[in-house]
Amino acid sequence: MYLNILKKDLKRKRAMNVILLVFIILASMFVSSGVNNIISVTTALDSYFDMADVPDYLAVTMNKDSAENMTEILENASAIDELRIEEIAYMSQSNVMLDGKPLNASSGYQVLQSDRDIAMNYFLEDETILKSVPKGKVYASYFVVKNTELKVGDKITVKIGDISREFTFAGSFKDAVFGSENVNMTRFILNAEDFDEYMSDEAVKNMYGGKICCIHTNDLDKTLSQISDISGSFIFADDREMIKFGYIFDMIVTGIILVVSIILIAVSFVVLRFAITFTLSEEFREIGVMKAIGIRDIKIRGLYLIKYAALAVIGSAVGLALSFPFGEILMGVSSQSVIISSQNTVFINVVCTILVVAVILLFCLGCTGGVSKMTPIDAVRNGQTGERFRKKSIMSLGRSKLCAAAFLAANDIVSSPKRYGIITLTFFLCLSLLIILSNTVSSLKSGKMLKYFDLADCHIFADTGDDAMNFFTEDGHEKLEKYLEEVEQTLAENGMPAECMQEFGLFVNLKHGEYESRPLALHGTGTTMDMYSYIEGSPLQNSGEIALTPLAAKELRVNIGDTVIMSDMTGEREYIVTAIYQTMVNQGVAARFYSGEDINYIQCAIVQNMQIKFTDDPDDKEINRRIEKLGEIYPEFSSIKTAGEWAKETTGVADAMDAVKKMSAVLTVILAALITVLMERSFIAKEQGEIALMKAIGVRNGKIYAYHTLRFAFVGIAAVIIGEIFAMPLTHLCIDPLFKMMGLELGVDYVTTPIEIYLVFPLVILVTTTAGAFLTSLYTRKIKSSDTANIE
């Protein structure tokens, strides 16, 4: 009996059932692929690090400021189980040339090393391990190919000091330690003989040389205490867990995809609830008759559960099949720098699909609870009890200035707020998804992000190439001041008045009582302290003052006014904490010195590109013109970028986020169209008698089309208004937790794109819903005036 009833119902409501099936397929596909994606990516780093043999502790040094007995101390530390050292040479973008121009693979360090000193596993494009490099060839980090036009077989020139050699590019590899673009360190691996040619020059070895020390140990705390005497020589040092944070920007894309999946799943279940409650209200006669002949509520609900169970099983099976290719697409977008094992994909997807079926059935069971409220008398009274103690609507036709179609549409909405509220909610969720993604992408591409990288506002970033290496000296601060003044003078002479500034950073040890922290401390030259953003306290005014991030202050258990002890290669000094600020630098564990502080730049680990801020406030077109002119004046600059381009390159995920946004826009159009068609077909089926009566009294088809279309137009307008009001709060709610993982305790001031937010996306929702409602309303042509007597 159940199967016969099911078969007839599926045929009778074919359009509605097909649309419901599509939503179940989408829900299953997103749940299966989304959950699998999250599990794979979040667990991938551990397995990837194991595959790559990433050390328990990694320290990077420069030969020019390393302790003389550093290698001896490391080799004699009893807590170290295994020590591997990679000899490297530091380079800037101008040291690597393609077709006579800097390669511009990234804005950070470039390091050269040999295949003899490989201390970890580097994976080629076919995921095999790089063992050796033929003489005359070179391999590079994978994002070199991604960010440049470099192809296998191309000739590149590597010049360090007075030594210049040409190599054939042999391919790219994935590097677990420096493989994220957020780290901004690019490796080039040569044959040992080729590398030795560069290091045979003592000047090159002493000035540009360095080491990457890979330490494997089962007792990290003991190891750190045994090598504490040389820790001040490390320009960078972190344990395995902190190295993982270098992939935090790669993880943000995964988080965004999870948000997209949750919103689309919510839309699917809202539509499912609407369909069930609407079906129950439409089939009052059948339910009333079944109750009249003694069929119990649970049996009646079972009829509907069998139908939705069939749809859930079929839809989930199709969704399961689609989840595999869809998951591959998501995985390709969410993480390109990590090797991800997919051995449990089938099991996870099947489990998720079973859960989807179970959740749908439980959801349907709850939604069919309305059956118990219906009585046999409903079948007699056309689904009404006959009791109403209030007006059906607050609107009055006599006092309304709306035309008939507009009045009927508005009256339906205010008369059934719950029904149309559900439709508004679905359109609101679709629009909110697009706005959230737009705000996030716009922010990641904006120069407004500079303050979250602990940088002053500017118009242009210029990579000065080898010139930056000249300031890693004891008097580097003074040399840099003179250099920036010369650049400012040259720019002024060429009609481009500007302020030039540059940031250098070093890792320092801070102590407060028994608590310690090792933040990255930045020191700006050419800046004033009021150029930076603070969340507490006041800008630094004197030497001996320091600003800390909330995470660094938490590690030290200090507040504004407390004193910390800083130790570096020059000794120990006391600093007063006068300000708290937030940054994504070093995963939020950072500090800032007063710009006039005497810092020995030989111990610096990081240098940012030179920043240029034009004082005459030019527009974007003029800035681009000046970039071209600046390249002519300073051909030695390896790259010149706008602030927005620099932010986009540094985060490295803006393009991936943009791809997710475009995919979501397409899905939103499809979902909005399906929702509109489903709702309108449901309304037509329920209102067949009313439509027939309208035709009987002479209402033309055009008026009926307008009436049905305007209902969705009004609902769409309401959804757009609510969406615009809650756009920014929802963006903070969904995206702030992702930025907090990167150290931004207070979230981000998001940048909006007005054309997208206030024009394009609202039009997408309104046009899709209005067009869908109009085209579906054409089905009312089949209803005749004689259908007023039809009891079906």
Side-chain angles (χ1 to χ4, degrees):
M1 181 184 72
Y2 280 177
L3 292 177
N4 288 331
I5 294 174
L6 172 63
K7 185 177 180 181
K8 290 181 179 179
D9 185 82
L10 290 176
K11 286 184 177 180
R12 185 164 57 95
K13 299 179 179 178
R14 188 176 302 168
M16 179 183 292
N17 291 325
V18 168
I19 294 174
L20 274 177
L21 185 63
V22 170
F23 275 101
I24 292 173
I25 291 172
L26 289 174
S28 177
M29 183 177 70
F30 270 96
V31 170
S32 299
S33 57
V35 171
N36 184 65
N37 195 19
I38 295 299
I39 293 175
S40 297
V41 173
T42 52
T43 60
L45 281 180
D46 287 322
S47 60
Y48 179 41
F49 276 29
D50 290 338
M51 293 165 57
D53 200 15
V54 173
D56 300 300
Y57 192 76
L58 183 135
V60 183
T61 69
M62 285 183 168
N63 289 345
K64 62 183 180 180
D65 62 342
S66 296
E68 294 182 2
N69 58 344
M70 185 192 73
T71 303
E72 181 181 349
I73 291 176
L74 290 171
E75 290 175 346
N76 293 331
S78 60
I80 296 179
D81 299 326
E82 184 179 7
L83 173 67
R84 304 174 190 168
I85 296 178
E86 295 178 330
E87 295 284 344
I88 61 173
Y90 292 94
M91 305 183 296
S92 65
Q93 292 191 49
S94 60
N95 291 116
V96 184
M97 309 289 285
L98 174 66
D99 297 329
K101 299 178 181 179
L103 190 58
N104 289 333
S106 74
S107 59
Y109 281 120
Q110 320 242 26
V111 297
L112 196 68
Q113 68 182 85
S114 77
D115 59 356
R116 177 180 55 229
D117 298 322
I118 293 178
M120 290 171 283
N121 293 329
Y122 303 118
F123 297 94
L124 299 174
E125 294 177 10
D126 60 359
E127 296 189 6
T128 59
I129 297 174
L130 175 62
K131 296 291 187 181
S132 62
V133 181
K135 188 172 173 55
K137 295 193 175 183
V138 61
Y139 284 88
S141 301
Y142 94 97
F143 52 80
V144 172
V145 176
K146 175 188 172 186
N147 295 339
T148 67
E149 298 178 354
L150 186 63
K151 302 182 296 295
V152 173
D154 286 348
K155 303 292 183 179
I156 63 174
T157 302
V158 178
K159 182 179 184 299
I160 306 178
D162 296 328
I163 302 176
S164 178
R165 297 287 184 272
E166 187 178 74
F167 299 94
T168 302
F169 180 60
S172 63
F173 61 86
K174 289 188 176 183
D175 173 8
V177 172
F178 301 133
S180 171
E181 290 185 77
N182 184 36
V183 177
N184 267 339
M185 183 174 281
T186 308
R187 290 190 200 246
F188 292 86
I189 301 181
L190 304 174
N191 178 271
E193 294 182 23
D194 293 328
F195 181 76
D196 288 342
E197 287 189 48
Y198 292 99
M199 303 309 287
S200 62
D201 186 328
E202 287 298 320
V204 170
K205 184 175 182 178
N206 293 331
M207 184 65 185
Y208 298 97
K211 295 179 176 65
I212 298 177
C213 305
C214 302
I215 298 171
H216 295 264
T217 177
N218 289 319
D219 192 341
L220 184 57
D221 291 336
K222 186 176 180 180
T223 298
L224 294 178
S225 66
Q226 290 180 350
I227 64 174
S228 58
D229 291 341
I230 59 172
S231 61
S233 298
F234 300 154
I235 65 171
F236 169 81
D238 257 331
D239 60 26
R240 183 173 172 139
E241 290 303 313
M242 288 301 295
I243 293 173
K244 290 180 183 178
F245 276 96
Y247 290 89
I248 196 68
F249 276 114
D250 296 273
M251 298 301 104
I252 193 175
V253 181
T254 304
I256 292 295
I257 291 175
L258 177 61
V259 171
V260 172
S261 299
I262 290 173
I263 291 177
L264 293 177
I265 291 168
V267 170
S268 298
F269 278 97
V270 168
V271 171
L272 184 60
R273 181 187 182 281
F274 172 85
I276 294 172
T277 55
F278 196 91
T279 299
L280 292 179
S281 65
E282 183 185 13
E283 298 181 351
F284 62 89
R285 182 172 289 104
E286 291 88 338
I287 295 172
V289 170
M290 284 190 286
K291 284 199 170 190
I293 62 176
I295 299 178
R296 291 180 300 168
D297 289 348
I298 191 65
K299 290 283 187 180
I300 299 172
R301 296 170 73 178
L303 289 171
Y304 293 97
L305 287 177
I306 287 179
K307 168 188 172 180
Y308 293 112
L311 290 175
V313 170
I314 297 172
S316 296
V318 176
L320 174 63
L322 294 176
S323 68
F324 295 105
F326 186 67
E328 291 294 326
I329 296 173
L330 292 183
M331 197 67 74
V333 171
S334 63
S335 182
Q336 300 176 353
S337 55
V338 179
I339 294 178
I340 298 176
S341 174
S342 58
Q343 56 186 359
N344 295 321
T345 298
V346 175
F347 175 75
I348 294 172
N349 286 20
V350 170
V351 170
C352 290
T353 301
I354 294 173
L355 288 175
V356 168
V357 174
V359 170
I360 289 175
L361 291 180
L362 288 173
F363 187 75
C364 293
L365 181 63
C367 292
T368 56
V371 169
S372 61
K373 299 179 182 180
M374 295 183 177
T375 63
I377 200 67
D378 291 328
V380 179
R381 294 182 173 176
N382 288 334
Q384 303 294 327
T385 62
E387 297 178 346
R388 190 175 77 225
F389 303 101
R390 58 180 177 81
K391 291 195 301 181
K392 186 177 181 181
S393 172
I394 61 174
M395 298 184 67
S396 172
L397 180 59
R399 294 193 297 268
S400 175
K401 295 182 179 180
L402 299 174
C403 65
F407 174 84
L408 289 172
N411 186 62
D412 279 1
I413 293 171
V414 298
S415 299
S416 304
K418 188 174 181 180
R419 176 188 300 172
Y420 289 94
I422 292 174
I423 303 174
T424 305
L425 175 62
T426 56
F427 292 156
F428 162 73
L429 290 174
C430 291
L431 177 62
S432 297
L433 172 61
L434 296 181
I435 293 177
I436 289 170
L437 293 175
S438 177
N439 288 341
T440 307
V441 172
S442 297
S443 299
L444 291 174
K445 292 182 176 181
S446 170
K448 301 295 183 182
M449 289 293 290
L450 295 186
K451 64 180 180 180
Y452 302 116
F453 289 100
D454 201 4
L455 297 173
D457 187 30
C458 68
H459 294 103
I460 286 176
F461 280 83
D463 189 331
T464 57
D466 277 344
D467 288 341
M469 301 296 292
N470 298 328
F471 306 122
F472 284 91
T473 60
E474 292 186 12
D475 59 346
H477 185 202
E478 292 75 16
K479 288 182 178 179
L480 180 58
E481 283 183 326
K482 183 178 179 181
Y483 175 79
L484 294 178
E485 289 174 359
E486 292 174 354
V487 175
E488 288 178 358
Q489 183 177 349
T490 301
L491 292 177
E493 291 172 355
N494 285 272
M496 299 182 289
E499 296 175 347
C500 296
M501 59 201 90
Q502 195 156 8
E503 300 280 352
F504 277 69
L506 62 152
F507 288 92
V508 298
N509 293 314
L510 295 181
K511 292 183 180 180
H512 177 70
E514 61 180 4
Y515 302 106
E516 296 185 13
S517 180
R518 186 175 170 80
L520 175 64
L522 290 176
H523 183 251
T525 301
T527 62
T528 57
M529 302 313 297
D530 59 355
M531 291 181 175
Y532 306 102
S533 297
Y534 306 92
I535 57 179
E536 285 185 58
S538 57
L540 312 184
Q541 299 179 9
N542 300 290
S543 298
E545 296 181 359
I546 195 170
L548 298 176
T549 61
L551 293 179
K554 184 177 180 181
E555 288 182 357
L556 294 167
R557 309 297 197 275
V558 298
N559 294 306
I560 292 175
D562 290 337
T563 300
V564 297
I565 298 175
M566 189 273 285
S567 58
D568 61 5
M569 66 182 299
T570 61
E572 293 186 347
R573 283 170 285 177
E574 289 189 350
Y575 287 86
I576 298 175
V577 180
T578 60
I580 302 292
Y581 70 101
Q582 64 173 359
T583 181
M584 291 187 288
V585 171
N586 198 37
Q587 289 79 54
V589 183
R592 173 163 289 283
F593 290 118
Y594 177 63
S595 57
E597 186 75 41
D598 183 19
I599 301 294
N600 186 343
Y601 272 20
I602 199 172
Q603 61 190 328
C604 287
I606 291 175
V607 56
Q608 295 285 9
N609 293 162
M610 181 176 67
Q611 296 174 251
I612 301 175
K613 182 177 182 180
F614 297 113
T615 56
D616 55 347
D617 196 24
D619 57 22
D620 292 342
K621 184 177 180 181
E622 176 62 17
I623 289 174
N624 290 327
R625 189 192 68 80
R626 292 184 180 185
I627 287 176
E628 294 181 4
K629 190 172 182 180
L630 195 60
E632 297 173 358
I633 299 172
Y634 291 101
E636 66 271 23
F637 287 179
S638 55
S639 71
I640 305 172
K641 303 180 180 72
T642 64
E645 290 171 341
W646 182 91
K648 175 185 173 182
E649 180 182 288
T650 301
T651 58
V653 295
D655 289 337
M657 289 284 296
D658 211 10
V660 174
K661 182 182 75 174
K662 292 174 182 177
M663 177 190 72
S664 300
V666 174
L667 285 174
T668 297
V669 171
I670 296 173
L671 288 175
L674 288 174
I675 292 167
T676 303
V677 172
L678 172 65
M679 304 299 185
E680 175 60 12
R681 282 300 303 268
S682 301
F683 291 156
I684 292 173
K686 184 176 178 61
E687 299 167 1
Q688 181 174 341
E690 289 90 334
I691 297 171
L693 180 61
M694 293 174 70
K695 290 191 174 185
I697 62 176
V699 178
R700 291 178 299 174
N701 283 333
K703 292 287 185 180
I704 297 175
Y705 302 156
Y707 158 44
H708 280 250
T709 303
L710 284 174
R711 288 191 295 194
F712 284 89
F714 291 158
V715 167
I717 291 171
V720 167
I721 293 172
I722 298 171
E724 298 295 347
I725 292 173
F726 289 97
M728 200 53 68
L730 281 175
T731 304
H732 282 287
L733 178 66
C734 296
I735 308 301
D736 276 3
L738 301 176
F739 281 109
K740 285 181 181 179
M741 294 171 60
M742 293 177 275
L744 298 180
E745 294 289 306
L746 300 182
V748 175
D749 294 329
Y750 293 95
V751 177
T752 62
T753 305
I755 294 179
E756 281 189 352
I757 300 300
Y758 301 113
L759 181 62
V760 176
F761 293 153
L763 281 178
V764 166
I765 297 295
L766 292 175
V767 170
T768 302
T769 55
T770 304
F774 173 74
L775 293 175
T776 309
S777 70
L778 298 179
Y779 182 79
T780 59
R781 286 181 299 182
K782 296 182 179 181
I783 300 175
K784 303 182 293 293
S785 58
S786 58
D787 289 332
T788 52
N790 192 345
I791 66 171
E792 290 297 324

